[in-house]
């Protein structure tokens, strides 16, 4: 199973952009890159996903390297509510079912 | 849309008890649901993949007789922890994908915190 590597923790000041990196050097051609975040005692919340091209939505942007071996989740203006554990996940096709293998995630701390 | 509900949100019971956790997709049909467990300060670990109308596929190291999964309908999957012991205490989370759409995001429930005394 393809794995992801993320920094254990990061800090950001409120109202500033945050760039959360993820390495996935063993990614295969059909693996999608998903980002979720999780607050304490809650299930993961979908943030964004992509395959090859950069993606934007109301929550964040996803920048994918040309060789797809890394990606960056961009929060344009961090707020206190963005403090969470962010997971970068590759969805691996296993007999037609795309299952997630979670990595260790990055704990984002937002400073007021 | 795409809401997944888990019940109960928290359960405390005595050692030796069997506990059933429900995972429902409220506004969509889910051919596939996934069950995860999460220990404190740790990441989610996939336990099994549950397909409607067929047997669940368990990840390596997960005891299928210990963690019984049933996916009898397109909106409901259940996880039963049989003869639970303190080491089974954990946060159990389910997710679901919408029928007919491949490689789209999984929709997660809010988890069930299981505490075995």
């Amino acid at each position: 199973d393809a794995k992801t590597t993320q920094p254990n923790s990061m800090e950001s000041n409120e109202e500033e952009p945050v760039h959360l990196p993820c390495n996935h050097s063993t990614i295969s051609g059909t693996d999608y890159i998903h980002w979720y975040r999780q607050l304490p005692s809650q299930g993961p919340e979908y943030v964004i996903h992509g395959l090859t091209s950069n993606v934007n939505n109301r929550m964040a942007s996803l920048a994918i390297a040309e060789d797809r071996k890394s990606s960056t989740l961009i929060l344009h203006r961090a707020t206190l509510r963005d403090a969470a554990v962010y997971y970068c996940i590759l969805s691996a096709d296993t007999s037609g079912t795309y299952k997630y293998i979670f990595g260790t995630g990055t704990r984002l701390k937002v400073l007021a | 849309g795409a809401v997944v509900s888990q019940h109960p949100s928290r359960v405390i019971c005595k050692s030796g008890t069997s506990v059933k956790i429900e995972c429902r997709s409220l506004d969509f049909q889910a051919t596939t649901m996934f069950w995860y467990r999460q220990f404190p300060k740790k990441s989610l670990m996939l336990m099994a993949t549950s397909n409607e109308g067929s047997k669940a596929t368990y990840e390596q190291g997960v005891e299928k007789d210990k963690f019984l999964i049933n996916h009898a309908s397109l909106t409901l999957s259940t996880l039963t922890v049989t003869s639970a012991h303190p080491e089974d205490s954990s946060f159990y989370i389910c997710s679901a994908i919408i029928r007919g759409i491949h490689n789209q995001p999984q929709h997660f429930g809010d988890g069930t915190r299981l505490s075995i005394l």
Side-chain angles (χ1 to χ4, degrees):
Chain A
D1 293 330
K3 293 184 179 178
T4 61
T5 305
Q6 299 175 252
N8 288 332
S9 63
M10 291 184 65
E11 279 188 4
S12 173
N13 293 318
E14 200 177 7
E15 304 291 316
E16 291 187 357
V18 182
H19 290 235
L20 298 167
C22 180
N23 287 320
H24 28 79
S25 58
T26 59
I27 191 171
S28 72
T30 57
D31 288 346
Y32 277 72
I33 302 159
H34 297 260
W35 283 82
Y36 282 76
R37 67 184 186 184
Q38 186 182 27
L39 296 171
S41 297
Q42 293 186 24
E45 175 190 23
Y46 168 78
V47 177
I48 201 165
H49 78 289
L51 183 62
T52 56
S53 304
N54 294 342
V55 184
N56 298 298
N57 66 21
R58 64 175 181 81
M59 288 181 72
S61 295
L62 175 61
I64 302 173
E66 198 169 327
D67 63 6
R68 300 210 327 126
K69 293 185 176 182
S70 66
S71 61
T72 302
L73 178 70
I74 302 165
L75 306 179
H76 296 288
R77 288 179 64 199
T79 69
L80 296 177
R81 291 190 300 176
D82 291 324
V85 177
Y86 285 79
Y87 292 101
C88 167
I89 305 160
L90 301 182
S91 57
D93 182 4
T94 305
S95 301
T97 298
Y98 285 86
K99 66 179 185 181
Y100 288 174
I101 306 298
F102 279 76
T104 55
T106 296
R107 185 173 299 276
L108 175 66
K109 186 175 181 180
V110 180
L111 306 174
Chain B
V3 177
V4 175
S5 174
Q6 271 186 253
H7 179 80
S9 58
R10 186 180 181 100
V11 58
I12 302 171
C13 58
K14 294 181 179 179
S15 186
T17 307
S18 291
V19 179
K20 181 185 282 188
I21 302 169
E22 292 186 347
C23 178
R24 293 181 184 273
S25 55
L26 296 186
D27 51 1
F28 65 97
Q29 292 184 329
T31 43
T32 303
M33 291 183 171
F34 302 88
W35 287 96
Y36 298 83
R37 68 186 298 183
Q38 184 177 31
F39 291 108
K41 304 290 185 185
K42 299 293 185 182
S43 184
L44 280 77
M45 183 188 76
L46 180 64
M47 298 176 67
T49 302
S50 168
N51 292 299
E52 185 264 340
S54 63
K55 289 184 178 180
T57 302
Y58 290 81
E59 294 298 304
Q60 192 172 11
V62 178
E63 298 177 60
K64 57 183 68 177
D65 293 332
K66 175 73 171 177
F67 300 100
L68 300 179
I69 292 171
N70 183 276
H71 192 162
S73 79
L74 286 171
T75 59
L76 174 64
S77 176
T78 60
L79 168 68
T80 301
V81 184
T82 60
S83 186
H85 290 95
E87 58 266 29
D88 298 323
S89 299
S90 190
F91 192 49
Y92 292 88
I93 307 169
C94 72
S95 71
I97 55 177
I98 298 172
R99 179 185 192 186
I101 303 176
H102 291 292
N103 207 13
Q104 25 87 34
Q106 292 182 19
H107 304 280
F108 286 84
D110 269 340
T112 296
R113 187 162 302 283
L114 175 61
S115 300
I116 307 299
L117 306 178

